[in-house]
Amino acid sequence: MIINSLLDTDLYKFTMMQVVLHRFPGAAVEYRFKCRIKGGVPVDLRPYAQEIREEIQHYCSLRFKPEELCYLQNLRFMKTDFIEFLKIFQLNCNFVKVDDSKEELEIIIHGPWLHTILFEVPLLAIISEIYFCRNYPSPDYKEGRNRLRDKIKYLKQQRLGPKFKFSDFGTRRRFSHDWHAEVIHTLKEELPNNLSGTSNVFFAKELGITPMGTMAHEFLQACQTLGPRIVYSQQFAFQCWADEYRGDLGIALSDIYTTDAFLNDFDLYFCKLFDGARQDSGDPIIWGERLIEHYKKMRIDPRTKTLVFSDNLTFPRAVELYKRFKDRTNPAFGIGTDLTNDLGYQRLQLVLKMTECNGHPVAKLSDSPEKTICQDAGYLAYLKQVFKVE
């Protein structure tokens, strides 16, 4: 089976789950799945529906092992009551519907947020591995290793020193679990001074490297219905996060309502409260310049803040951004699919995004229009009006 540990997911799922337990335990949500390839062409995954169902059944049979709970408990931002909750936690496959009777494979997750939040990343990893293993039963690992070796050689040739830091962010669209393991192990051996960690908690534990992550879009999306008024929902989300973690995990996600709306809400209070921000859509150079200028406007030295770039990165792109910003701020990089799924095959654009919370639509207004997520056109138009998005 593909997923054999509940830790085989991204750290931000656990950090968000802890907030949900403490602040929104009664929230009910819906997630919907989409799969495309470059150009927006749908991929027919219906032939794999039964296998996906079987993998979900297996995933839902897993429980946290004592050594896994001990590992989580040793992360200083994880609280005792959350670990106690995880001791009795088990996923319920009845919350996941896999329907292959329509033109495209439809996957809908519906249920309590606290009990569905851990589905997204492993489910995407399951779908990705099934697709690639069925379509490429004899993978060209030699090509994959050559490509990885070329990436490592390129980075070494840049002579950037240990200040250039990147993390593996590649769980959800990886080629396979085993290839993911090999990639991280190789990076740890070859680039020990540059690899700052991995978003994958299982591999962080197994390889003794730092787990990386704070919040995802779904957290800010859900706050559209859980907060006081939509216009304050972003500030509400950031305040809830700060109240929960009291200075830990201080990287704010900046593109839930576009950067313009983020900067309007990210006032002096939040600029001082958070360690930095993460870019996940739009032009990273424009974003970086705007954040630096914003910090200066707030009379904060940008060199004391971290800017995390994580949108479709490669090593050459990360190096370009590092050279541009390294003397004016503290850039860091999360690199995903280009590391964990680069064997020469066409990659899938897999997403499983929250579309409802407590029966109301939620949305993501991305800096990249193609990444905007919403099932309700009327609500999307309303959100654009509230946050003054063109």
Side-chain angles (χ1 to χ4, degrees), residues 177-229:
H177 172 94
D178 291 346
W179 178 245
H180 192 182
E182 180 173 340
V183 167
I184 301 179
H185 184 269
T186 302
L187 292 171
K188 181 187 176 185
E189 293 295 314
E190 294 291 333
L191 299 168
N193 295 322
N194 304 112
L195 180 67
S196 58
T198 173
S199 63
N200 187 287
V201 185
F202 175 82
F203 290 124
K205 173 180 176 293
E206 294 298 305
L207 297 176
I209 57 180
T210 304
M212 308 293 287
T214 54
M215 66 182 75
H217 294 99
E218 67 175 281
F219 178 70
L220 290 105
Q221 286 178 265
C223 285
Q224 292 167 17
T225 67
L226 299 172
R229 294 173 58 194

Side-chain angles (χ1 to χ4, degrees), residues 19 24 33 50 58 65 82 88 101 117 132 136 140 145 178 212 230 253 263 265 289 306 320 329-330 334 387:
V19 181
F24 314 114
F33 170 77
Q50 184 54 35
H58 172 71
K65 301 171 185 175
F82 180 56
I88 60 171
S101 67
I117 193 169
F132 284 105
Y136 307 100
D140 192 349
R145 293 183 183 111
D178 291 346
M212 308 293 287
I230 288 181
L253 187 57
L263 294 179
D265 285 343
E289 295 291 352
T306 298
E320 176 192 1
T329 187
N330 179 29
F387 286 99

Side-chain angles (χ1 to χ4, degrees), residues 84-102:
E84 292 298 317
F85 172 75
L86 293 181
K87 287 181 181 179
I88 60 171
F89 177 80
Q90 187 167 10
L91 289 156
N92 188 335
C93 60
N94 292 324
F95 293 140
V96 185
K97 176 185 176 185
V98 181
D99 185 356
D100 58 348
S101 67
K102 301 176 182 178

Side-chain angles (χ1 to χ4, degrees), residues 190-309:
E190 294 291 333
L191 299 168
N193 295 322
N194 304 112
L195 180 67
S196 58
T198 173
S199 63
N200 187 287
V201 185
F202 175 82
F203 290 124
K205 173 180 176 293
E206 294 298 305
L207 297 176
I209 57 180
T210 304
M212 308 293 287
T214 54
M215 66 182 75
H217 294 99
E218 67 175 281
F219 178 70
L220 290 105
Q221 286 178 265
C223 285
Q224 292 167 17
T225 67
L226 299 172
R229 294 173 58 194
I230 288 181
V231 69
Y232 301 130
S233 62
Q234 187 166 221
Q235 291 181 327
F236 172 76
F238 292 152
Q239 188 63 59
C240 286
W241 194 265
D243 289 343
E244 178 72 24
Y245 290 109
R246 312 299 297 178
D248 267 320
L249 305 174
I251 301 296
L253 187 57
S254 67
D255 69 333
I256 191 68
Y257 303 118
T258 74
T259 300
D260 285 343
F262 171 76
L263 294 179
N264 286 336
D265 285 343
F266 207 60
D267 58 13
L268 180 61
Y269 171 75
F270 287 121
C271 281
K272 288 186 174 182
L273 195 61
F274 281 81
D275 298 323
R278 177 163 73 92
Q279 182 263 350
D280 197 47
S281 63
D283 187 314
I285 291 177
I286 293 174
W287 179 84
E289 295 291 352
R290 293 191 67 188
L291 262 292
I292 288 173
E293 194 59 36
H294 185 69
Y295 281 124
K296 288 180 178 179
K297 181 180 176 182
M298 297 292 165
R299 301 184 301 281
I300 294 172
D301 186 349
R303 292 174 296 180
T304 66
K305 297 298 181 178
T306 298
L307 302 189
V308 181
F309 298 87

Side-chain angles (χ1 to χ4, degrees), residues 163 165 305-307 309 321-322 325-326 329-333:
K163 288 187 177 180
K165 298 292 186 183
K305 297 298 181 178
T306 298
L307 302 189
F309 298 87
L321 294 168
Y322 177 75
F325 294 114
K326 65 183 178 67
T329 187
N330 179 29
F333 306 93

